[in-house]
Amino acid sequence: MTEQKFNASREAPLKGVTVIELGTVISGPFTGSLLADLGAEVIKIEAPGRGDVQRFLGLKKDGVHPWWGVAARNKRLMTLDLKHLEGKAIFERLIRKADVLVENYRPGALKKLGFDWSRVHEINPGLVMVSISGYGGTGPLAGRPGFGKVAEGFSGAVALTGSPDEQPLFVGFSLADTCSGMFAAFGISLALYHRDIQNGKGSWIDLALYEPLFRMAECQLALERSGAMPLRRSSNDPYGWGIEQPDRPVFKCVKASDGQWLLLSLPSPKGNATIARPAGQSLEEWAEKLTSTELREAVLSAGGEIVPVMDGKSLADHEYLKACGDVVNLATAELGTFSAPGFIATPGDKSVPFCNASVGEHTEYVLSRHLGASVDEIARLRREGVV
Amino acid sequence: MRSEQKFSAGSSREALAGLHVLEISSTPGASFSAALFADFNASVYVGESLPDGSAMRHRKPGMWWQIIARNKKSIAVDTSHPDAGEIVRKLLSQADVVITDVPARDRSNHPWLREAVRVPHTPLFVEVFPTGADQPATWPWSRSSDLSAASTGLMALTGIAGKTPVQPEFPMTDYLAGTLAATRAIAELRRAKLVREIAEDVAVPLHQAIFRMIEWQMPMATVFGSPQLRNGNAFPMNYSISNMHLTRDGNYVTFSAANDAQAHKLMEMVGGKELCEDPRFASSEARRRGLEDLYKITEKWMAERTLNEVLGAASRHDVVAGPVHSTKNIVIDSHVESRGNIVEVATESGPSIPMPGVVPRVEGWAAAVRSAGPSLGAHTAEALTACGFSEDFISRAAAEGLVATGFK
């Protein structure tokens, strides 16, 4: 048997890469989070004052928003007034030394501040810039505002989710935003490879929020051309593509007697799930009389497949996810003991799984470490409201 | 910051030109990961075992292969033939990257990958495999790729409150895992080339990308003692305004308002300044408590108007709203057309087919869809020649059935 090449002492893949994040809920900050997970030094710039709206999303305990603590981890949080003349000058100095700029301001907003692609490319020809917006930087809707849920509806993904007899369904988290973050991180990884291994030049990635989902729902266009209109069918089959597929297994979500939901698939000649059960009993009625373990044995014996439908609590408790490094247990004074997601790559030496950082917490660090600003200069910038 | 590096002779517009990838996969996650490499000009060869070829080739609908194998090449070898080992070893030796759905622990049982131990040059292995396949001792459940969404948290969060969990009917879980794997692999290749080290393998179980994307689910569940669960079309925790309603002409429209300014624009559109001043909705905290009441107002307002009327009003009020597109709407959408999101691709036999363009779009790059999925073995001869096999050898191997060359 060959072993995976794994060297616990090696550095995270983006160590040494500096990222400037001009991110606001949710795609920009999530892109920054992924890059930080990969070892980059991520400097998140917020306007002086309340900071990114992401700070206030979701439930809070003792004044702490757990979501923010994950979204801000391993980032350097600084404030900077980009409308102030000196703020612009500091921003220029930062991007001159940076490798990546991530922004998801409304289209045109950064240009109004004097920093569109042509300008930042002029300042730093090696810079990789990613702009994420509702509809991208070109096309008739380019200037329109767009949030994730609207992008999900636009992509075709929502029409493929739910029951044909009911309203289509959104996926229950910020799907388009985080998909965009994932594809933006992919694009940045590519562009850094291209710059450092191929030709030395920076690149501009122009990503619309709907495009990653549109890219992944890749069979819908050819199916429409063929006349097999893809549309949600309550199949719960991810390889169903919203069309009739009589050769596919039957997928069902059932609830066991212990309250656990399970997703199972059963062989289905002619669309009928084959599993022995009392006459007249539906699959759901049969399942609710068995425990999860009994169901597992029955389904596997019948040649089917079965897994539990996991939620935030069962994921945090599962031995497999802990073994994968996906669950990190920690404690803070405000939140007590809790679990946070692990890192998507070997964490770097500065990696922390949770950071409830305040607005401008690392302003001084960034100014002195990255720009060599003196204590007096930083004090003056504070007095003048630049940072 | 950037290191001093002598650049290779790669094209200035082709990000991964010169990179050789071998795909050994029967499931969509690893195949999509390889498709991303192929979209950006890596040479991706799909290693297929005769007589049937890759299982991806036979998945329904039939056009799936044409799309997921776009920009790729096919090498077909009878891996049960006693002489197959040498060919497979040479192909592995030529690869910079091997993308597979087989975790490292199962390599020794795989007809292509078991040869990896006998090649002097070790490629970077990128493994995108079903949840549990790498550590079955801690996973007593099925290890089937099409069930992986259940292990991400996505299904527990999607559906009507209290009712059956739901997932979208396309392989989003697999594809996002493939995207994460490609991201990590390219970052690792860059690092390894810069410091002249051997790149470290990348392993991504299928649940991992979406699990990471729902970054709040475990902290919320463990801090507050119970998990967030599906909440229909409203956000979990009602943390922001976002929903979908039916219009008078039978279309669905989505709308969203993530901050105070957007919320006020929406309320002004559906109820004038009076609604903005209503104490039930005057602050974000109040709106969170009164969200169901607000949704009743938005629902009634949209039900009285056509889709075009709603979108027109949204545009005038700068409200974030949009249609729920079905595919038939997408193919005629002028914005989609203008962005070049749909490309028409010639197939080896039969008419051309439409598929999504390359994502993400990078200004000035030559990323494009150049070909649809190849026929079985169409590039075997090309690949074997590049490995140093003679024309005679290839002809004999084809005559014996050791390889298929795709020639009629």
Side-chain angles (χ1 to χ4, degrees):
Chain A
M1 185 175 107
T2 53
E3 295 295 332
Q4 258 179 332
K5 297 187 293 295
F6 179 74
N7 169 13
S9 65
R10 68 135 181 127
E11 291 178 339
L14 294 187
K15 181 159 185 177
V17 169
T18 301
V19 177
I20 309 294
E21 178 200 308
L22 289 178
T24 172
V25 279
I26 291 173
S27 59
F30 187 65
T31 307
S33 291
L34 293 176
L35 300 175
D37 269 18
L38 289 165
E41 165 104 330
V42 178
I43 299 168
K44 179 178 175 67
I45 296 179
E46 298 174 276
R50 291 185 78 214
D52 188 351
V53 175
Q54 176 124 25
R55 291 174 171 276
F56 311 105
L57 294 185
L59 307 176
K60 65 178 170 183
K61 185 180 175 190
D62 290 345
V64 175
H65 286 81
W67 188 349
W68 171 247
V70 180
R73 68 189 198 181
N74 284 314
K75 294 184 185 176
R76 305 293 186 179
L77 305 175
M78 76 173 293
T79 54
L80 189 61
D81 183 356
L82 289 172
K83 292 176 182 166
H84 193 289
L85 210 58
E86 194 157 1
K88 290 180 197 294
I90 290 172
F91 185 64
E92 270 200 36
R93 287 166 67 197
L94 281 170
I95 55 176
R96 185 166 288 124
K97 298 188 76 175
D99 300 276
V100 178
L101 171 61
V102 176
E103 67 102 1
N104 69 325
Y105 285 3
R106 187 170 169 160
L110 204 56
K111 188 175 183 178
K112 271 189 198 161
L113 293 167
F115 296 105
D116 62 355
W117 166 241
S118 60
R119 177 65 189 131
V120 298
H121 187 57
E122 186 180 70
I123 295 167
N124 178 357
L127 188 76
V128 171
M129 174 169 164
V130 60
S131 300
I132 309 172
S133 57
Y135 298 95
T138 61
L141 299 176
R144 294 275 301 135
F147 289 141
K149 291 296 161 197
V150 174
E152 289 165 28
F154 196 84
S155 69
V158 174
L160 289 169
T161 310
S163 160
D165 306 322
E166 294 170 4
Q167 200 175 45
L169 286 168
F170 287 132
V171 166
F173 69 100
S174 305
L175 177 65
D177 289 304
T178 49
C179 282
S180 296
M182 196 63 80
F183 272 72
F186 167 65
I188 289 164
S189 188
L190 267 176
L192 289 172
Y193 180 93
H194 180 245
R195 185 193 72 175
D196 294 341
I197 309 302
Q198 299 279 43
N199 78 351
K201 293 177 186 161
S203 308
W204 179 38
I205 300 161
D206 167 24
L207 184 64
L209 278 175
Y210 71 86
E211 285 177 333
L213 281 166
F214 179 80
R215 170 70 182 87
M216 291 188 285
E218 61 182 0
C219 286
Q220 64 171 330
L221 303 168
L223 284 169
E224 195 270 346
R225 170 79 58 84
S226 74
M229 182 56 66
L231 204 62
R232 63 197 178 280
R233 291 174 183 270
S234 312
S235 76
N236 254 333
D237 178 1
Y239 303 168
W241 294 103
I243 58 167
E244 285 288 349
Q245 294 211 48
D247 297 341
R248 290 284 300 156
V250 164
F251 288 73
K252 285 277 180 198
C253 260
V254 296
K255 196 174 188 179
S257 60
D258 49 22
Q260 173 68 51
W261 284 94
L262 299 121
L263 176 63
L264 52 90
S265 72
L266 292 164
S268 65
K270 297 177 187 167
N272 298 311
T274 50
I275 194 157
R277 57 185 187 273
Q281 247 182 24
S282 71
L283 206 56
E284 289 83 353
E285 290 165 341
W286 167 75
E288 70 186 9
K289 293 182 172 53
L290 302 176
T291 65
S292 306
T293 308
E294 289 166 342
L295 264 174
R296 181 175 68 205
E297 299 314 314
V299 169
L300 293 177
S301 305
E305 305 281 0
I306 184 166
V307 294
V309 174
M310 294 166 82
D311 57 38
K313 184 74 173 67
S314 51
L315 287 165
D317 292 339
H318 205 284
E319 288 308 314
Y320 174 73
L321 277 102
K322 288 180 188 169
C324 288
D326 288 336
V327 181
V328 180
N329 293 321
L330 64 159
T332 71
E334 300 90 348
L335 301 181
T337 304
F338 64 102
S339 303
F343 300 94
I344 57 169
T346 307
D349 52 3
K350 293 195 297 293
S351 296
V352 289
F354 189 88
C355 176
N356 181 37
S358 55
V359 178
E361 184 153 324
H362 308 114
T363 301
E364 221 169 282
Y365 164 88
V366 174
L367 291 174
S368 60
R369 172 77 183 268
H370 287 268
L371 302 182
S374 66
V375 175
D376 288 348
E377 190 181 358
I378 295 168
R380 179 184 63 77
L381 291 168
R382 279 198 196 286
R383 275 197 309 278
E384 293 175 7
V386 179
V387 300
Chain B
M1 298 290 170
R2 287 169 52 197
S3 66
E4 294 304 317
Q5 163 85 7
K6 283 192 173 175
F7 302 115
S8 74
S11 159
S12 63
R13 301 173 66 227
E14 298 179 345
L16 300 179
L19 203 63
H20 287 262
V21 177
L22 182 62
E23 171 189 323
I24 307 293
S25 171
S26 58
T27 52
S31 294
F32 186 74
S33 194
L36 293 176
F37 277 78
D39 273 3
F40 289 94
N41 306 96
S43 296
V44 178
Y45 289 89
V46 184
E48 305 192 68
S49 291
L50 290 169
D52 296 329
S54 166
M56 282 308 301
R57 182 180 286 283
H58 304 289
R59 289 190 184 274
K60 304 278 179 61
M63 70 277 285
W64 196 353
W65 171 256
Q66 299 286 352
I67 300 166
I68 200 160
R70 70 197 213 172
N71 291 330
K72 297 180 187 173
K73 298 178 176 183
S74 166
I75 308 169
V77 180
D78 177 359
T79 45
S80 66
H81 193 288
D83 298 334
E86 189 190 352
I87 292 177
V88 170
R89 282 194 296 279
K90 286 266 176 77
L91 291 167
L92 284 165
S93 297
Q94 289 284 308
D96 301 300
V97 180
V98 174
I99 301 180
T100 181
D101 56 358
V102 180
R105 68 186 305 278
D106 295 334
R107 269 185 218 162
S108 57
N109 300 321
H110 193 279
W112 285 79
L113 303 178
R114 67 182 168 220
E115 299 296 335
V117 279
R118 299 174 62 192
V119 267
H121 149 77
T122 317
L124 165 66
F125 275 84
V126 180
E127 300 156 5
V128 188
F129 49 79
T131 293
D134 55 334
Q135 302 181 53
T138 56
W139 185 258
W141 301 95
S142 295
R143 300 186 291 276
S144 180
S145 63
D146 50 13
L147 299 181
S148 291
S151 315
T152 64
L154 174 158
M155 293 188 72
L157 287 164
T158 304
I160 307 297
K163 294 195 177 172
T164 309
V166 172
Q167 68 169 315
E169 296 174 43
F170 68 102
M172 195 175 79
T173 303
D174 314 58
Y175 283 10
L176 284 161
T179 307
L180 174 58
T183 305
R184 286 184 53 192
I186 294 163
E188 174 61 10
L189 280 169
R190 173 188 163 276
R191 183 199 70 80
K193 281 179 186 261
L194 288 174
V195 298
R196 295 187 170 81
E197 280 183 6
I198 293 175
E200 184 175 311
D201 293 346
V202 168
V204 177
L206 287 178
H207 71 273
Q208 207 163 50
I210 293 184
F211 171 84
R212 178 66 185 86
M213 289 157 67
I214 318 174
E215 60 189 359
W216 48 264
Q217 62 179 334
M218 284 197 308
M220 292 294 176
T222 51
V223 166
F224 298 100
S226 60
Q228 292 294 320
L229 295 173
R230 51 206 168 277
N231 193 22
N233 274 329
F235 267 128
M237 304 172 277
N238 282 344
Y239 67 75
S240 173
I241 297 174
S242 178
N243 212 322
M244 175 195 309
H245 297 317
L246 194 61
T247 59
R248 196 180 75 211
D249 53 351
N251 292 297
Y252 287 102
V253 64
T254 65
F255 59 96
S256 201
N259 56 39
D260 266 356
Q262 287 291 339
H264 278 92
K265 287 173 184 174
L266 173 71
M267 290 190 292
E268 194 166 329
M269 179 176 84
V270 302
K273 290 212 182 299
E274 205 175 289
L275 190 63
C276 299
E277 286 157 14
D278 187 321
R280 289 174 299 167
F281 316 124
S283 69
S284 58
E285 200 51 43
R287 283 195 298 278
R288 214 167 73 75
R289 289 191 301 270
L291 210 49
E292 283 188 19
D293 288 344
L294 183 60
Y295 287 150
K296 281 179 191 157
I297 295 167
T298 51
E299 184 173 27
K300 181 170 180 298
W301 188 89
M302 292 180 192
E304 291 166 350
R305 288 162 177 81
T306 65
L307 176 65
N308 281 340
E309 287 167 353
V310 172
L311 295 181
S315 181
R316 287 192 299 280
H317 285 83
D318 199 29
V319 165
V320 179
V324 174
H325 266 340
S326 64
T327 317
K328 69 176 187 219
N329 304 126
I330 289 171
V331 297
I332 56 169
D333 188 285
S334 59
H335 184 79
V336 169
E337 186 188 358
S338 167
R339 292 278 293 169
N341 289 142
I342 302 175
V343 293
E344 196 70 34
V345 184
T347 60
E348 284 184 18
S349 56
S352 66
I353 60 170
M355 55 181 90
V358 173
V359 175
R361 165 201 285 232
V362 186
E363 186 170 273
W365 282 14
V369 186
R370 301 170 299 280
S371 59
S375 58
L376 182 61
H379 306 92
T380 307
E382 169 192 313
L384 295 186
T385 304
C387 288
F389 289 104
S390 69
E391 209 171 302
D392 274 0
F393 174 87
I394 296 167
S395 300
R396 275 201 317 277
E400 285 173 20
L402 170 55
V403 300
T405 58
F407 301 137
K408 301 271 189 269

